[in-house]
Amino acid sequence: MHPDHTTPMSTPPSAPSRGGRRLRNIVVTMALGATMFAVGAVMLTPGGNTAPRPAGHGRPDEAPRGSIEALQARVARLPKDPGGWAALGMAYVQQARSTADPATYDRAEKALRTSLSVQGEGNTDAETAMGALAAARHDFPAALRWASKATTSGPYGSSAYGVLADAHTQLGHYDEADEAVQKMTDLRPDAASLARASYAFELKGNTPRARALMQRSLAAAATPADKAFAHSVLAGLDLQDANPRKALARAQTALRTAPTDSALLESRARAYLALGDTTKAVADYKAAIAIAPLPHYLLGLGELEQALGHRERAAENYDLLRAQDRIREAAGDPADTDAILFEADHGNPRRAVALAQETLRNRPFVAVHDAYAWALHRAGRDTEALVQADKALAQGTRSALFRYHRAAIHHALGDPEAARRDLTEALREPGFHPLHADAARDLLQRIDTTP
């Protein structure tokens, strides 16, 4: 893939309707967090797991170019406008990803199904949004089907290629994902496409290239939410490079203009944690959760409180995670990596193995391989765990937590030298995890002092 090659297509796309233009703007903003993410998500969490990272992390009711209320008024006035229903559906997807409210996904699907009932063929807007909705629900095979349909009906729609890239990434089709990102970038070299190109290189461990592309995404960002997203990604890359002071400075600066952006608050919390200021880290995690109680925020705070010896406070966050998991299970949705890792470390490892096996069937992504590896290790199945840990790192992804997981597996299998190599790499990011960073240092010390 050559994301620098961004010459626009010589044949311009047909002009979209006003509803289509509004949806395109919404989709472009969503694309910054659409699955690699989730939907697709275009970034990794501190542990290397994907997580919802919508632009508009700030106020949950933010929607680009018009609020949800305005879009509702539009469809009430024009009930036969497929573009209006599609725009409303995508706005609901964005809101759900910002608030972690699964009920909003149902409202999104209802709006999108209405759009498709009004215009069943060639409705690229609704098809793209349905793909984003499926990806947000972690139904990546469905996301791939909808995105493929959208790129067929609207071959010049860059947003559809973004959803296509997200689906291919989560399904482990990394070459196909690169092709989709390249197509998206060729069609529209904007903040969303450059962010996906950045993620493609981050996934392969090429942090300098990922950083350069995300800087370009930041320069192209047209909204405060887009800028905040780019800053949160860049702060994460700073932490990977063991530069928490730079990450802190970046998050501090960005929060001056986006003080309620939950991803920036989490980035600052992680920077404070790496610098040893746990009081401020706890405060920022709590502030992020108050805005959006996303699982990786709850898990991060719970494990930090546990590391500080605050068992009751940790339990409060763990109880919320369990409640979220019960809702997920009742809906029949697959477990995300945070749920698998939480179950492995704080619940029943055998159940974690079962959750991972179920998720892996439709999502053979690197982070799922890592979570499966850790669940197998915690269940005492280290030979199988090593196979999965190797798959998690096969793309070259720089994840300190992935490295620590594989190190523990190597050590359990009686290979201290391989464990030492992975621990050394993991500890290049010394504050990578509230609990496991200390465990990694202890394990390395034991290896080094054992004859």
Side-chain angles (χ1 to χ4, degrees):
M1 187 179 74
H2 306 286
D4 274 338
H5 176 60
T6 55
T7 304
M9 302 273 301
S10 58
T11 304
S14 59
S17 66
R18 284 195 298 171
R21 283 197 297 270
R22 172 175 287 130
L23 176 68
R24 182 186 65 193
N25 287 329
I26 292 174
V27 173
V28 164
T29 303
M30 275 292 297
L32 289 173
T35 122
M36 207 204 180
F37 67 114
V39 208
V42 296
M43 63 158 41
L44 294 177
T45 67
N49 310 310
T50 57
R53 307 292 271 193
H57 302 294
R59 298 194 308 274
D61 59 347
E62 278 185 343
R65 292 194 61 181
S67 67
I68 285 179
E69 289 77 10
L71 294 170
Q72 289 170 333
R74 176 186 174 87
V75 298
R77 189 174 67 255
L78 301 169
K80 296 299 183 180
D81 176 17
W85 283 108
L88 177 61
M90 180 57 94
Y92 278 136
V93 174
Q94 177 175 342
Q95 184 185 61
R97 295 184 56 76
S98 299
T99 62
D101 178 9
T104 309
Y105 289 132
D106 295 334
R107 290 191 283 273
E109 182 170 3
K110 183 178 180 181
L112 295 174
R113 294 290 182 188
T114 301
S115 177
L116 289 165
S117 70
V118 174
Q119 181 184 338
E121 294 298 325
N123 192 343
T124 306
D125 293 349
E127 291 162 358
T128 301
M130 284 293 286
L133 173 62
R137 286 171 159 171
H138 287 188
D139 186 352
F140 297 108
L144 180 62
R145 291 192 295 273
W146 281 110
S148 298
K149 190 172 183 178
T151 56
T152 300
S153 65
Y156 301 115
S158 65
S159 300
Y161 285 98
V163 179
L164 184 66
D166 295 336
H168 275 310
T169 298
Q170 295 295 316
L171 291 169
H173 310 156
Y174 302 111
D175 290 341
E176 291 88 342
D178 287 351
E179 291 174 6
V181 171
Q182 183 63 61
K183 182 68 173 179
M184 184 186 187
T185 309
D186 288 343
L187 286 168
R188 188 183 175 102
D190 61 1
S193 60
L194 291 166
R196 276 190 172 78
S198 171
Y199 184 78
F201 281 98
E202 183 183 351
L203 190 64
K204 296 173 179 62
N206 190 339
T207 303
R209 193 80 181 99
R211 184 187 300 280
L213 285 161
M214 189 53 70
Q215 289 284 7
R216 289 179 56 190
S217 178
L218 175 60
T223 69
D226 295 349
K227 290 180 172 67
F229 175 84
H231 280 301
S232 68
V233 174
L234 288 165
L237 294 174
D238 291 334
L239 289 170
Q240 279 188 21
D241 289 339
N243 196 338
R245 293 191 182 281
K246 186 175 181 181
L248 177 60
R250 180 181 295 280
Q252 294 273 37
T253 299
L255 280 164
R256 292 191 188 106
T257 55
T260 59
D261 186 282
S262 66
L264 283 173
L265 286 165
E266 187 224 11
S267 295
R268 190 170 67 177
R270 291 168 51 205
Y272 278 134
L273 176 61
L275 292 168
D277 193 336
T278 55
T279 299
K280 290 182 178 177
V282 167
D284 275 346
Y285 266 122
K286 288 181 176 179
I289 289 167
I291 295 165
L294 298 175
H296 61 290
Y297 299 169
L298 291 167
L299 186 57
L301 177 58
E303 291 181 329
L304 176 54
E305 295 280 26
Q306 182 178 338
L308 294 172
H310 305 156
R311 293 186 178 182
E312 290 185 2
R313 296 178 191 173
E316 290 173 2
N317 291 281
Y318 295 161
D319 286 345
L320 285 173
L321 280 167
R322 291 188 181 96
Q324 288 185 349
D325 194 56
R326 286 193 293 272
I327 293 171
R328 172 203 63 76
E329 193 170 29
D333 296 331
D336 199 355
T337 50
D338 295 305
I340 296 166
L341 293 172
F342 172 70
E343 191 67 27
D345 282 328
H346 308 285
N348 184 336
R350 286 179 293 180
R351 180 172 184 265
V353 169
L355 291 175
Q357 288 172 335
E358 179 185 4
T359 299
L360 196 64
R361 291 190 189 102
N362 289 316
R363 192 185 172 196
F365 177 60
V366 293
V368 182
H369 285 297
D370 169 73
Y372 187 24
W374 190 241
L376 287 166
H377 166 70
R378 296 284 291 172
R381 297 163 59 178
D382 289 296
T383 301
E384 298 166 83
L386 183 58
V387 174
Q388 297 299 321
D390 286 341
K391 289 182 178 180
L393 288 158
Q395 296 297 311
T397 306
R398 284 185 61 191
S399 167
L401 190 61
F402 287 14
R403 288 283 189 170
Y404 167 68
H405 287 164
R406 191 169 70 174
I409 294 165
H410 276 309
H411 189 257
L413 290 171
D415 191 344
E417 287 306 314
R420 178 188 282 109
R421 288 193 295 271
D422 277 337
L423 289 168
T424 301
E425 287 299 317
L427 289 169
R428 293 183 189 279
E429 187 183 339
F432 70 87
H433 190 277
L435 296 172
H436 294 320
D438 286 342
R441 281 186 283 271
D442 291 344
L443 180 56
L444 183 59
Q445 184 177 25
R446 292 204 306 274
I447 291 172
D448 287 342
T449 56
T450 299

